[in-house]
Amino acid sequence: MTSLMVVGADHLGNIHDKLKTYGFEDIVHVDGRKVQVVKRSIPDHVDLILVMTDYINHNLAKVIKQKAKECNKPVYYCKRSWSSIQQVLSKV
């Protein structure tokens, strides 16, 4: 897996660099603040979707889950803390 889509969180900060150390070369970040994000599709090159649950609304989480299922892409949920992200990535 080399491509990751992160949904939620306004800014990733140093999380972006830490994700690169896990081997993710291409990281697509969608902040989830704007209403139009719900209409956005999941890029074909994305291998994994990571949803930050404490920074998105229920509707967006539901839509992302549905679109990922249609594209047959795995979705993982975590909070916006590195320890939570690391815990999820260790299961991948």
Side-chain angles (χ1 to χ4, degrees):
M1 282 186 225
T2 60
S3 182
L4 172 72
M5 180 175 180
V6 179
V7 181
D10 291 338
H11 305 284
L12 292 180
N14 64 352
I15 292 174
H16 186 272
D17 297 331
K18 290 182 178 182
L19 288 171
K20 290 230 181 221
T21 63
Y22 265 79
F24 294 106
E25 296 171 7
D26 185 26
I27 300 169
V28 179
H29 178 234
V30 179
D31 63 9
R33 286 279 185 176
K34 297 178 182 160
V35 178
Q36 297 297 324
V37 173
V38 175
K39 296 179 183 178
R40 190 170 175 183
S41 63
I42 297 171
D44 291 333
H45 70 279
V46 170
D47 298 319
L48 175 81
I49 300 167
L50 187 64
V51 178
M52 308 265 183
T53 58
D54 45 356
Y55 286 93
I56 64 168
N57 61 36
H58 286 91
N59 185 43
L60 180 56
K62 180 180 170 184
V63 169
I64 290 292
K65 182 178 179 180
Q66 181 182 7
K67 287 182 180 181
K69 188 174 184 179
E70 291 170 2
C71 298
N72 199 22
K73 304 213 185 263
V75 180
Y76 295 95
Y77 301 91
C78 65
K79 293 187 177 186
R80 193 195 172 272
S81 67
W82 180 246
S83 61
S84 179
I85 295 168
Q86 198 173 21
Q87 210 172 34
V88 168
L89 292 179
S90 67
K91 297 177 185 176
V92 174

